[in-house]
Amino acid sequence: MNQAFLDRVRIVLVNTTHPGNIGGAARAMKNMGLSQLYLVDPYRYPHEEATRRASNADDVLEGAVVVKNVQAAIEGCDLVIGTSARERRIPWPLKDPRACMAEAVSPRHQRNIAILFGREHSGLTNEELAMCQLHLHIPTNPDYSSLNLAAAVQVVAYECRMLAQGETVEVSEASGWDMPLADAGDVERMHQHMANTLATINFIDPANPKQALTRLRRMFSRIRLDEMEVSILRGMLNRIDKAVARNKAD
Ligand code: SAH
């Protein structure tokens, strides 16, 4: 059993409305041996309904970390997976839970792995999905594709366990790459920096930047930036910022 992998899986529930779903998710997690629960700005929490639905998984519930936004929830992760009940306008690599977890268990990923779950009524926003490297869709009846939130967590947590039970992947095993993958928080700051710089040089219109920035995000999510690459890109952006400031001063 690769418990180390299960320990690195972080279930992130974004703006959950029903406390019962938070409890149900905690129970689903504990059944499958997961423990990292992050709650992004939940409507009602703590709540007795959450505790009741968690049954004996109140330790997972009590250990839940409440954060303000998705950015804070993905700090310390090197893979961010967004779950979605339907397809979006800009297609991202869309995988089923098994394929996603097969990728997550790869020794390339040594930090935490965040799996984002959306709001009961509206799912994840396009901006939140653009922060993810992979989009996960649980195959369903196309005419009725939206699972209950806690049920979706159950399916994904089950696939995590199946992988952890399979061939044990040694995390220490070198993946043949010379640098660790970048922290998702640093990648997010790089994207924000890039958006600002691109607006300053009029490459994008800050009033209408969406498509170009989303496509850039998709490109970088395909590459999977490492620490050094993020630092080179930040250095490059800093130089551009300085050159622009110098030009303006002249
Ligand atoms: N009406 C929303 C559905 C939200 S369901 C929408 O159309 O997007 C609440 C959450 O459960 C989703 O954001 C997602 O995290 C998860 N979920 C539900 N069904 C899913 C599916 N088939 N595949 C992956 N995640 C799913």
Side-chain angles (χ1 to χ4, degrees):
M1 174 60 64
N2 187 351
Q3 184 61 43
F5 169 65
L6 296 178
D7 290 343
R8 288 190 297 116
V9 174
R10 179 180 299 175
I11 300 294
V12 180
L13 307 184
V14 181
N15 285 162
T16 309
T17 307
H18 300 296
N21 280 333
I22 298 177
R27 179 177 187 170
M29 287 171 63
K30 184 161 181 177
N31 282 142
M32 298 299 137
L34 304 184
S35 54
Q36 275 198 62
L37 176 60
Y38 274 56
L39 306 174
V40 177
D41 195 19
Y43 275 77
R44 283 175 292 159
Y45 182 82
H47 194 277
E48 59 184 22
E49 180 66 8
T51 311
R52 197 177 64 75
R53 283 279 304 278
S55 207
N56 281 327
D58 30 17
D59 51 336
V60 173
L61 202 56
E62 274 159 25
V65 179
V66 179
V67 291
K68 281 201 307 286
N69 49 36
V70 171
Q71 157 98 50
I74 64 175
E75 298 284 350
C77 298
D78 63 13
L79 180 64
V80 183
I81 301 173
T83 60
S84 178
R86 57 201 158 107
E87 289 190 26
R88 305 284 164 151
R89 197 150 56 100
I90 294 192
W92 233 252
L94 189 68
K95 300 196 171 188
D96 66 30
R98 200 160 299 171
C100 273
M101 291 314 133
E103 198 159 319
V105 82
S106 145
R108 253 206 106 178
H109 299 290
Q110 305 217 350
R111 302 177 199 261
N112 294 305
I113 295 142
I115 311 177
L116 312 184
F117 291 84
R119 300 151 187 86
E120 287 93 334
H121 295 297
S122 53
L124 294 166
T125 63
N126 285 340
E127 287 70 29
E128 286 158 355
L129 283 165
M131 293 166 92
C132 304
Q133 282 87 53
L134 287 177
H135 287 179
L136 179 156
H137 175 71
I138 301 165
T140 42
N141 173 356
D143 299 329
Y144 193 61
S145 66
S146 178
L147 276 77
N148 162 264
L149 175 60
V153 171
Q154 182 72 77
V155 171
V156 172
Y158 168 75
E159 289 297 345
C160 291
R161 183 156 196 96
M162 288 304 282
L163 257 168
Q165 257 176 215
E167 229 172 280
T168 310
V169 180
E170 279 300 320
V171 174
S172 58
E173 213 174 63
S175 59
W177 201 255
D178 57 349
M179 273 288 148
L181 287 180
D183 187 308
D186 292 333
V187 173
E188 199 43 44
R189 280 180 282 277
M190 182 210 74
H191 279 300
Q192 280 152 16
H193 189 170
M194 188 178 302
N196 287 338
T197 304
L198 293 182
T200 318
I201 61 172
N202 293 324
F203 183 77
I204 53 160
D205 173 7
N208 195 16
K210 289 288 156 58
Q211 287 286 328
L213 289 180
T214 308
R215 286 189 181 272
L216 280 169
R217 278 177 176 274
R218 187 175 68 169
M219 180 184 84
F220 284 117
S221 76
R222 196 162 69 230
I223 294 170
R224 306 286 159 81
L225 296 165
D226 69 30
E227 281 177 355
M228 183 65 83
E229 289 160 347
V230 168
S231 132
I232 291 170
L233 284 163
R234 287 301 291 263
M236 220 165 75
L237 292 168
N238 279 330
R239 286 302 174 97
I240 297 173
D241 293 345
K242 278 197 185 128
V244 171
R246 251 199 322 273
N247 252 350
K248 276 192 185 146
D250 292 346

